[in-house]
Amino acid sequence: MDHLLFKRLMMVVLIVCANRVPMAANASYPALFAFGDSILDTGNNNFIATLSKCNYPPYGRDFYGGIPTGRFCDGKVPSDLIAEALGIKQTLPAFLSGNLSPQDLATGVCFASGGSGLDSVTSTLLQVLSLTQQLGMFRDYIGRLTAVVGQQKASYIVSNGLVLLSAGNNDIGITYSTGRRPMLFPAYASLLVGWTSNFLKDLYALGVRHVWVLSTLPLGCLPGARATVGGLLCNEFANGFAAQFNGMLQQLTNTIRTTSPGYDVEFVDVYTPLLGLARNPFGSGFINSANGCCGGAAVAFGELCTVLTGQCIIPSQYVFWDFAHPTQRAYEIIVSSIIKRHVLQKQNTSSLAPSIPRNLVSH
């Protein structure tokens, strides 16, 4: 083998290994729950009447068995990767899948719906599950869980489990950007934050005590947004909207922690690590951050990722899988930074939650 080629291959291997998602030893969350949009959806849209689906090839080409499961990615999405990193389970099943085992119920499920948002206009436009509907599914879940494990254990799982929320991406990127909410952006962002606050209050009323609120992505650097400004540069107007909303969202979580000491709500920055990958892909071993691995230039016309639009040979060399979603490898790098900041650093000073009583452990 050529010596220079060998050195380059070894460099890529070292970068990949350095960015693997670390395991959070003895993490004390018994279950994980996911709400929101396609960043977390693990297949709920497969079971509803919507065009926002991805249960067909080449989606899932890097998932177990190369099977398209309804995840908007070539492989795992953050809900899976976080569940795995916390030592809960390898993947997070979709609640609507219909084949949930008692262990699935006891360790958490996904309620997220690709295309959803905080704004009811967004979910109606795309015919997907609104956050209100997802909350209703969560109530149904609690009833099913209680029937399987009993009231005491069900209450423990809900109150000590971790909830992920990813919302705002489609509200800003679709509903607002296409003029369906004609107002100045600060006013719209305030509405989004208010709806987030209401949703967090609803979760609290159902017994939830631990929530990670994910920021939006750097929306202007998604391949679809780049296409609106020529294809190579990020759309900084869209990034500005996302950054403004994220700042307000972080302020909301800080306020909740201050005013509700028993409610562990954390702001999780997804924007910054993905922006870093988008602007400097080569530093993490990627070769392309302007195009999606699947669809390529076709992203300018919408969600065109099919076996007919073509794909890159190695998805892990691309930051983005399609017009709007990162690849599994990009997600792994982002989740690695999340786990290091929100779990491993905490474990150095205090426990995440009370240790799990042996009589409540079933997995």
Side-chain angles (χ1 to χ4, degrees), residues 102-164:
Q103 185 177 15
D104 288 329
L105 292 172
T107 52
V109 293
C110 174
F111 305 97
S113 176
S116 190
L118 296 156
D119 191 340
S120 60
V121 171
T122 305
S123 54
T124 300
L125 177 67
L126 298 174
Q127 292 298 296
V128 296
L129 300 169
S130 67
L131 281 181
T132 299
Q133 290 172 307
Q134 293 178 35
L135 199 67
M137 290 160 54
F138 186 48
R139 291 190 181 95
D140 291 343
Y141 159 82
I142 293 174
R144 290 177 58 181
L145 178 67
T146 301
V148 171
V149 302
Q151 180 66 53
Q152 180 186 9
K153 186 172 181 180
S155 296
Y156 178 88
I157 290 171
V158 171
S159 63
N160 287 279
L162 175 64
V163 166
L164 305 177

